[in-house]
Amino acid sequence: MTKHSFVIVSNRLPMSVSKKDGKLTYESSSGGLATAMSSLREDDTVWVGWCGTPSDDLSNKDKQEIRDHFAKHNAVPVFLTAAQIHNFYEGYSNDTLWPLFHYFQSLTQYDDAYWQAYDEVNQLYAAAVKQSATSNARIWVHDYQLMLVPAMVRQDVPKATIGFFLHIPFPSFEIFRLLPERRRLLEGLMGSDVVGFHTYDYARHFMSSVHRLLGVEAHEAQVEYQGRTVQVGTYPIGIDYKKYVKAVNSAATAKIERSIKRRYLKQRIILSIDRLDYSKGIPQRLEAYRLLLEEYPEYRGNVVLQMVAVPSRTGVEAYQNLRDQIERTVARINGIYGTADWAPISYQFQNRPFDEIVANYIAADIMLVTPVRDGMNLVAKEYVASKQNQRGVLVLSELAGAADELTDAVLVNPSNARSIASALDEALRMLPSDQARRMKSMQERIRQYDVQTWAKAFIDDMKLAQSGGNHAHDIVMTREQRTEIIHEFQQAKKRLIILDYDGTLKPFQPTPSAIAGAPSIKLRLLLATLSQKKSTRVAIVSGRPRKVMTWWFKALGIDLAAEHGARIRINGKWETRPNRIKKAKPAIRKIMETYTDRTPGSRIEEKEFSMVWHFRNVVPEVAYNRSMKLRHDLVKAVDGDALAVHTGHKIVEVKQRDIHKGMAVEKLVETYQPDFVLCAGDDFTDEDMFRALNSQATTIKVGGGETDARFRVNDIEHLISLLTKLSSNKTITKLSKPLRRVRLSRWLKNK
Ligand code: GDG
């Protein structure tokens, strides 16, 4: 199969096939996304998605024909059986994720068969991507149906740059946590390099769930995960603005518009268009309109609500019930308020042609958009674009993503029918000059930030990740580099191994207590074996107190640096730096205590040379705010020449400026004069060690995040496995040819 350098993955393709009377018929639909993609001018693009018809009816010959036909249009079909469509699409996507992500908890169905199918179908998409993508392709995955795909593709195509965009809201953690499969979904998304949302709030909710469920740190718009950086951004989708302007000026549209105007003559038109979906707030809209007629009787006979409800997901029960409810309400309102020559509501449950939709936008005096939740809502933007004469008013729910941008709309709370009725009254009375002012400013925004700009902004961020903005995977230790390190170690005459402890040799525990953090027998054995090797010194350099370290590592005969090097034991003899923090401690303690009192889960640790405020058990959002404020208060209170305030891995720490791990490393190197140094650490205090060593040292960062180390390993297990290899007696005698060349060239460069 031909490989492509840019792959778009979405549930549906911009083309589809159906089989009638044994014959395959193809149809293409160019939605906003397809237009945006074609405008990008990425030369080598392919689109992966469902072919549009159940595969049960397709023979192998049909499938091959479909593949060939789609290939001519740069598309790769995914084939799904009717059962898969039922469980994956109607089931998990539209009966579980869609309602929950739109805050409809009561409509959310949990079913194991749905989840199984979702997982299985996501694998089918990922397999199709694998077959179609070059090894370093850019792959852009779309929407809630495919949340597992990024991680699946990452496994198969590790060097790809993967982007994911969610078109619907990402709910708050309190809602998202209800999903049984919440972790798997997040892990799926974290396979991406860039994850995008329509609004800042959705991105914030996502970050908070990542924080709470995966336990990883999230800073601003970045999450460090398994040695990679995941960028989280907001990219509010736009519309194809030019297409609407063109349609407004077309004769075909003008003709339909005239016929609409003739039909309603003197009536003012209130328009609503959406898929018939419970998230769109259609019952709320009808109730508001009923109230308008009831409480503002002057509008009876003078307005009409023209409501287009497009059939959607008709196989899902909740949608069938909603349709019944809406149609009963429409009939009731028409029955109560209608007259022989006036129907208050004109209702269509149909898909209408594009020209007619635009003509409706032009003809409407008011566009009423009242979703109770909506990722963005393009209808609102399309109405604004179609009002080139700048007459008309948009009444828009503040719970649509579009409300963030269209601030000149009349914004309403969709649950407050009375306020919508009064907003309609305001809109019907609005002066033309006011209408024009609002329209102009909204048009300016959506003209500039159209769908092409949106797609470009997202792709540019993917390119940035690809070209090195995302350094994380650049330095992950390769198998060859690992072999070379082992070889160098074995060849060396004097070796020094310097290791941080927490987060480097031992995973973080919920409490920093000495008992919970103690090394296992296996780890102690490993350190002992390593240090007993000929001409090999092992040193643990940690922020832990001397007492704890002496207890943990007694009888191992290794060197220790406690409290970031304030106390160093080399060859069994302890040395201590002068204490310059002692006098300041009561003041520091007092400040920290005020924070501990009102921050459940936090605690103070007092060490001889530093004071630490731990917040690893504090709710993350609270922790972040409090730690920032505490840091600020401490910086103001302490003598900045002698003491420094740091925020580290879930801690805020005050310590002496002249004590850091780099100093301990210098001392160790000075004492032993080694010709091989391996130094590993995981957090910012370890960066001082990496910087203190020269570029020939084997410095290793454990986990993600910015670093000055030469190599990165993804987790503690990788480091332990390397150390275990070093401790063994099996010698690597021969290096492969390419490695020999690397070593030789390095040696020559140094000369
Ligand atoms: C999802 C998110 C987000 C409607 N009726 C007809 C018709 N339409 C077109 C509209 C518009 C589109 O369908 C609907 O887009 P929305 O954005 O309003 O809503 P969703 O379908 O729910 O879309 C949403 C969007 O993804 C993009 O990210 O904005 O929040 O839920 O373009 O014009 N088009 C035609 N006939 C109709 O009868 N031709």
Side-chain angles (χ1 to χ4, degrees):
M1 192 181 261
T2 329
K3 303 268 187 183
H4 300 264
S5 60
F6 184 50
V7 185
I8 304 156
V9 197
S10 63
N11 175 45
R12 299 290 299 260
L13 287 171
M15 63 185 307
S16 62
V17 64
S18 56
K19 192 174 177 184
K20 268 188 215 115
D21 307 324
K23 209 172 154 282
L24 297 174
T25 324
Y26 297 95
E27 223 182 296
S28 60
S29 65
S30 70
L33 197 56
T35 318
M37 295 305 151
S38 59
S39 75
L40 285 173
R41 297 201 179 80
E42 297 280 336
D43 329 322
D44 186 23
T45 306
V46 72
W47 197 312
V48 172
W50 180 48
C51 70
T53 203
S55 62
D56 314 53
D57 306 337
L58 302 173
S59 64
N60 285 340
K61 192 168 150 273
D62 287 339
K63 286 185 187 167
Q64 195 48 50
E65 190 192 313
I66 295 170
R67 272 192 210 103
D68 293 344
H69 182 91
F70 277 35
K72 285 188 218 138
H73 297 84
N74 292 326
V76 172
V78 174
F79 294 104
L80 304 177
T81 64
Q84 282 171 331
I85 294 163
H86 176 72
N87 287 319
F88 150 76
Y89 180 66
E90 287 164 357
Y92 200 76
S93 301
N94 289 332
D95 229 1
T96 309
L97 291 179
W98 177 275
L100 196 71
F101 279 35
H102 287 86
Y103 295 76
F104 283 87
Q105 236 173 291
S106 59
L107 293 182
T108 308
Q109 301 294 321
Y110 299 103
D111 185 329
D112 240 14
Y114 285 1
W115 169 251
Q116 299 305 337
Y118 187 83
D119 190 358
E120 179 183 305
V121 170
N122 272 243
Q123 281 179 41
L124 293 179
Y125 278 80
V129 173
K130 185 185 169 189
Q131 287 190 347
S132 323
T134 57
S135 65
N136 60 352
R138 267 197 289 284
I139 300 167
W140 190 2
V141 185
H142 288 266
D143 229 357
Y144 62 102
Q145 301 93 349
L146 304 176
M147 289 169 75
L148 301 178
V149 169
M152 289 171 174
V153 173
R154 171 74 56 209
Q155 281 234 316
D156 292 337
V157 200
K159 292 220 174 83
T161 306
I162 305 172
F164 179 91
F165 187 81
L166 187 72
H167 289 259
I168 65 173
F170 194 95
S172 84
F173 171 65
E174 288 304 328
I175 291 288
F176 184 70
R177 73 192 304 190
L178 298 174
L179 269 178
E181 302 82 13
R182 59 212 185 166
R183 273 186 73 93
R184 280 287 312 278
L185 292 169
L186 284 186
E187 284 164 359
L189 294 180
M190 296 301 274
S192 320
D193 297 289
V194 182
V195 181
F197 301 91
H198 286 307
T199 71
Y200 171 72
D201 280 336
Y202 308 155
R204 188 170 58 80
H205 291 156
F206 170 70
M207 299 278 258
S208 131
S209 284
V210 164
H211 216 114
R212 305 283 287 265
L213 293 167
L214 302 183
V216 289
E217 292 280 343
H219 293 294
E220 306 270 306
Q222 255 171 231
V223 186
E224 302 299 338
Y225 186 67
Q226 296 189 342
R228 293 185 304 106
T229 305
V230 181
Q231 300 282 348
V232 180
T234 49
Y235 310 85
I237 197 171
I239 58 165
D240 187 359
Y241 189 81
K242 287 197 196 93
K243 182 174 157 193
Y244 283 85
V245 175
K246 198 169 156 214
V248 169
N249 296 322
S250 86
T253 315
K255 196 169 159 216
I256 310 171
E257 189 214 337
R258 278 196 300 276
S259 85
I260 299 170
K261 284 269 169 67
R262 265 201 307 276
R263 192 176 333 134
Y264 294 115
L265 281 176
K266 291 209 178 92
Q267 287 165 38
R268 313 279 300 277
I269 302 172
I270 302 171
L271 177 66
S272 92
I273 298 180
D274 19 39
R275 281 188 304 102
L276 195 142
D277 192 292
Y278 44 79
S279 66
K280 303 291 180 184
I282 302 173
Q284 286 82 348
R285 192 178 309 162
L286 287 170
E287 173 56 14
Y289 184 64
R290 189 195 66 76
L291 267 176
L292 179 80
L293 299 178
E294 183 61 37
E295 297 189 353
Y296 304 79
E298 64 272 27
Y299 290 123
R300 292 184 202 168
N302 295 320
V303 293
V304 61
L305 172 62
Q306 198 199 340
M307 201 163 97
V308 181
V310 182
S312 174
R313 303 168 196 171
T314 44
V316 178
E317 197 187 335
Y319 287 73
Q320 295 155 3
N321 296 340
L322 178 69
R323 182 184 169 190
D324 289 349
Q325 183 198 349
I326 289 170
E327 291 180 359
R328 276 199 308 271
T329 315
V330 168
R332 193 159 46 84
I333 295 175
N334 276 344
I336 295 174
Y337 300 98
T339 60
D341 47 15
W342 174 66
I345 304 173
S346 149
Y347 167 77
Q348 283 169 293
F349 179 62
Q350 283 165 23
N351 205 323
R352 307 303 305 160
F354 174 73
D355 283 345
E356 189 178 319
I357 296 288
V358 179
N360 275 320
Y361 288 146
I362 304 173
D365 298 282
I366 292 166
M367 182 84 212
L368 181 55
V369 185
T370 57
V372 281
R373 293 277 164 185
D374 212 337
M376 172 55 69
N377 195 292
L378 297 178
V379 166
K381 292 188 172 181
E382 291 164 4
Y383 175 70
V384 171
S386 305
K387 285 295 184 187
Q388 289 299 313
N389 66 0
Q390 294 172 352
R391 294 291 296 272
V393 184
L394 173 65
V395 179
L396 174 63
S397 160
E398 58 197 26
L399 288 147
D404 282 12
E405 291 170 89
L406 304 179
T407 45
D408 278 303
V410 177
L411 294 176
V412 291
N413 172 354
S415 315
N416 188 344
R418 186 147 278 116
S419 83
I420 301 177
S422 107
L424 284 173
D425 176 46
E426 179 193 335
L428 287 161
R429 291 173 196 282
M430 193 179 284
L431 292 174
S433 56
D434 201 8
Q435 295 179 22
R437 182 188 58 75
R438 289 168 182 252
M439 268 309 165
K440 216 170 141 202
S441 103
M442 292 192 287
Q443 267 168 9
E444 197 52 27
R445 161 78 199 176
I446 57 172
R447 187 175 59 80
Q448 273 178 15
Y449 202 85
D450 61 3
V451 73
Q452 287 85 356
T453 316
W454 164 79
K456 188 169 175 306
F458 192 90
I459 306 263
D460 281 351
D461 279 358
M462 283 177 74
K463 286 183 182 164
L464 208 65
Q466 192 172 28
S467 69
N470 187 354
H471 297 288
H473 32 236
D474 297 352
I475 56 163
V476 172
M477 191 186 289
T478 62
R479 198 189 292 267
E480 289 76 23
Q481 287 168 334
R482 187 183 135 107
T483 312
E484 192 184 1
I485 290 167
I486 298 166
H487 183 78
E488 281 179 4
F489 174 82
Q490 289 170 342
Q491 299 298 305
K493 303 225 159 41
K494 264 187 181 179
R495 305 126 166 186
L496 176 59
I497 296 181
I498 307 168
L499 304 165
D500 164 53
Y501 183 71
D502 293 281
T504 299
L505 293 175
K506 170 98 184 175
F508 279 99
Q509 306 297 313
T511 67
S513 82
I515 294 174
S520 63
I521 295 182
K522 210 168 143 198
L523 177 57
R524 285 162 49 84
L525 203 66
L526 169 63
L527 296 172
T529 322
L530 254 181
S531 67
Q532 277 156 24
K533 280 185 88 79
K534 206 169 73 178
S535 315
T536 309
R537 290 303 301 179
V538 176
I540 306 283
V541 177
S542 162
R544 294 272 188 173
R546 177 176 92 159
K547 249 171 121 180
V548 173
M549 291 186 70
T550 321
W551 170 43
W552 282 351
F553 302 108
K554 67 171 173 264
L556 289 192
I558 60 177
D559 294 333
L560 301 175
E563 299 209 19
H564 301 103
R567 294 166 179 280
I568 305 184
R569 187 182 78 181
I570 295 183
N571 284 324
K573 213 174 124 251
W574 281 103
E575 268 181 37
T576 307
R577 307 278 301 180
N579 192 324
R580 300 169 72 190
I581 194 175
K582 202 168 170 187
K583 270 206 278 177
K585 275 185 174 176
I588 297 170
R589 190 182 312 114
K590 204 165 158 210
I591 296 172
M592 286 185 172
E593 270 167 4
T594 60
Y595 280 82
T596 311
D597 289 347
R598 56 200 170 93
T599 315
S602 68
R603 56 181 287 277
I604 300 168
E605 186 186 7
E606 192 168 327
K607 301 184 196 176
E608 219 174 320
F609 291 87
S610 66
M611 298 272 297
V612 188
W613 189 72
H614 291 268
F615 58 83
R616 74 180 74 167
N617 292 331
V618 177
V619 173
E621 285 84 353
V622 177
Y624 182 74
N625 277 328
R626 295 274 155 84
S627 63
M628 286 300 164
K629 285 203 182 104
L630 171 61
R631 185 170 190 275
H632 179 256
D633 288 358
L634 289 169
V635 167
K636 274 204 312 198
V638 302
D639 164 13
D641 288 339
L643 304 176
V645 184
H646 296 283
T647 33
H649 190 83
K650 304 195 174 167
I651 56 161
V652 177
E653 182 170 38
V654 185
K655 62 180 189 180
Q656 285 182 217
R657 278 198 189 278
D658 61 350
I659 296 175
H660 53 84
K661 289 182 175 180
M663 178 208 82
V665 163
E666 277 163 13
K667 182 124 192 137
L668 285 159
V669 171
E670 214 177 277
T671 310
Y672 293 116
Q673 304 279 326
D675 59 352
F676 174 91
V677 180
L678 182 149
C679 174
D682 74 304
D683 77 6
F684 79 98
T685 62
D686 302 319
E687 295 296 317
D688 288 331
M689 302 204 282
F690 302 150
R691 283 191 286 269
L693 290 162
N694 71 23
S695 59
Q696 296 294 301
T698 302
T699 43
I700 304 174
K701 164 95 174 171
V702 179
E706 291 275 306
T707 184
D708 282 322
R710 278 174 62 204
F711 304 103
R712 184 193 306 280
V713 290
N714 283 341
D715 47 35
I716 294 175
E717 284 74 51
H718 278 86
L719 180 72
I720 297 279
S721 137
L722 174 65
L723 295 175
T724 310
K725 189 82 195 174
L726 297 184
S727 72
S728 86
N729 285 324
K730 280 199 202 116
T731 318
I732 296 184
T733 45
K734 262 204 237 157
L735 273 177
S736 64
K737 266 192 200 152
L739 282 179
R740 268 214 305 274
R741 265 205 302 277
V742 171
R743 283 177 56 75
L744 182 67
S745 64
R746 192 199 288 173
W747 186 79
L748 284 173
K749 199 167 138 209
N750 290 341
K751 287 274 152 186

